[in-house]
Amino acid sequence: MLGRIGRWIDERAHLSELWQAQMVDYKVPKNLTFPYAFGIMAIVAFAIQIISGIFLTMYYQPNVHTAFDSANYTIMKEVPFMWLIRHVHAAGANFFLAIVYLHIFTGIYYNAYKKPRELTWIVGWVIYFVLLVTALTGYLLPWGQLSYWGMVVTAEIPTSIDSAPLIGSLKIGETISIWMKGGYEIGQITLGRFFGLHIWLLPLILLLLVSVHLYLVRAAGISNPEGREIDKKKEGVPFHPYMTLKEGAYVMGYLAVFFFFVFFYMHHFLPPDNYDPADPFKTPAHIAPEWYLLAYYTIFRSIPDKFLGFVAFNLTLVFLLILPFLDFSPLKSARNRPLFFIMFIVLVISSMALTILGTMPPTPTNAMLGLVFTAGLFAFFLSLPIISIIEWGWYKARGGEKQ
Amino acid sequence: METSRRDLMGLAIGGLGVVGVLGVLYPIVKTLAPSAASLAGAMMEVDVASIPEGQVRVVSWKGKPVFVVKLPQGFQWTGKAKEDKNAKLLQGQDAYALIAVCTHLGCVPLWKPQGEAEFNYPVFHCPCHGGFYSPWGDNIAGPPPRPLHVPPQKRDGSKLVIGEPGFVKELT
Ligand code: FES
C-alpha cells in the first residue's frame, strides 16, 4: 500500500529521479576530511534557530515594560518546556557562530575561496555579516542589563567616525548611531525594530543567502583537501550513501555535544547579569560584547586612537571579504603551501588571542598584547600577495603554465 | 525602425521600473529614521531666570536627565575636587547644564546646597554608593572615576540652550 502511494507520487513529482541525479550521481572527492562537515552542521544549527525562534515569538513580548518578564517569567517559568526552547535558542546562537567560524577557518585552510569559488566565498562573507547582525539584534530582546548596555556600547561604535580628521565634522557617525537606535536613546522604538529585524527580515535574507551559497557550492564543485580539482568520473564517490551517512554521523555527534550544553552547562549562554532588567541609569561594571565579536572589540580598543581603531576593525572585515583576490597563488590548500601554512597558524593564534584578550580588563599590558596580535592578524592578510608571488615563481620553475 | 521602437519601449519600461523600485525603497528605508518624538528632545531651552539662585532643575535632553545649575551671584566654593576639568570648562558661567548620570554606575545624584556629611558646602551626592561631586560636576570623593559629563550648550540672553555648541562645544 505504502509502496503504491510512493509510486503514485513519484510518477507525478519525479522525486526518485531528483534523488538519483542530486544524491547518487553527484560525485564528490573521496578524501574529504572531518572539517568538511562544518557546513552541514551550520545548516542544522540554522534550522534549530528557526524552529526554536518561531516558538519563542509566541510568548515573547517586544515591549520595554514586558519584554524582560515575558522572557524570564512567562517563557522560563510559566509555559511548559519553554525554558528548554529558550536554552536551545540561546545556546544555539553561540553554537551556530562557533560552527560558522570553524567553517570559515576550514575554508581558509583548504583555500576554498580560490577560482572558481570566489563568489561562494563572497556570498559566505555576506552570510557571516548578516549572521552577526542577527545575533546582535536578538541579544537586545530579553531586555536585561547586558542586552541593554551591550547595545549602548555597540551603537556608540559608529560615532568613532566623528573623531576622524576631515569627515569628522559631518557627524556621519552620530547619524548612523541614531538610525540604529531610531532616536537618541535605546527604547521602545529600538526594541520594536530589532524584534522585527531579528524575527523576519534577517532570517529571510539569511535563508536566501544560504540557498545561493549552496547553489554556488554545487555549481563550482566541492574543493579537494589535496588542492586539485578531481576528475569526478574516476575519483569521485557518490554523495549518497558515502557522504550522507558520514555527515549524518557527524551531525549526531554535534547534536550530542550541543544538548549536553543545553541541559548541563547553560550559564555562559544566559549570563547571570542578564537576569537583571535593563536599567538605563546603572551601567554594569563589566560590559564586553559576546565572544564572537571579542576579537574585533580587542582590535578596536587596543589602538589608542578611536578612529584608527574603528578603521582597523573594519579593515579586518574587508580583508576577509577580498581574501580571494589577496591570494592569487596557483597553489591550493595549505597542505601544499608551507609558507601559507605558517601564516595560517599566525592567523589562528592571533584571532584566538584577540578573543581571549577581549575578556580581560583594558590594562596597558593587555592593550600592548592586543596591538601585537592585531599586527599578527594583519600580517596574515598582507603576506598573502607576497606568498602568492613567491609561489608563482616555484610554479613556473616546475614548468607550470605561464602567467 | 522596428528595433529602435522596441529599444525605446525597453528603455521606458526599464526606466519606469527603476523609478518604481526607488519609490518603494525610499519610504521603507526612511521608516528607520529617528522618530519625531526623539528628535524633539535633541535641543532643550531652559529659562535660567526662572530658576532660584543656588538651585538645580532637572530637565531631559536626548532621553537623559540633565541638571541645570544656577549659581548665586559671586558664588564661592570652599571645597576641593579631585579634578578641576569641569570647573575650568564652566568658569564664569552662572548657569550651566550637567548630565545627571553618575559616572560610577549611573544613578542620578542629589543636589545638596547645604552640604552633606563632612562636606559642609554645596555638593552633588550620589546616594547609590556615596559619590560626591562639586557644583560643576567634578568628582570629589567616593567611587565615581571621572567628572559628570557636560553636554554642548550655549547661552542666549536668559536662556540656556542645551544641545547646541556654545561655551561648551562637544559632550565632554
Ligand atoms: S552610582 Fe553614583 S556612586 Fe555608585
Side-chain angles (χ1 to χ4, degrees), chain A residues 297-314:
Chain A
Y297 172 70
T298 312
I299 296 175
F300 181 55
R301 71 173 187 186
S302 303
I303 295 174
D305 182 272
K306 201 177 166 196
F307 177 63
L308 288 182
F310 179 78
V311 170
F313 99 76
N314 279 291

Side-chain angles (χ1 to χ4, degrees), chain A residues 76 96 121 155 163 204 230 279 374 389 391:
Chain A
M76 293 300 276
F96 194 179
W121 178 265
S163 49
L204 285 178
I230 58 161
D279 181 351
T374 305
I389 291 170
E391 285 177 348

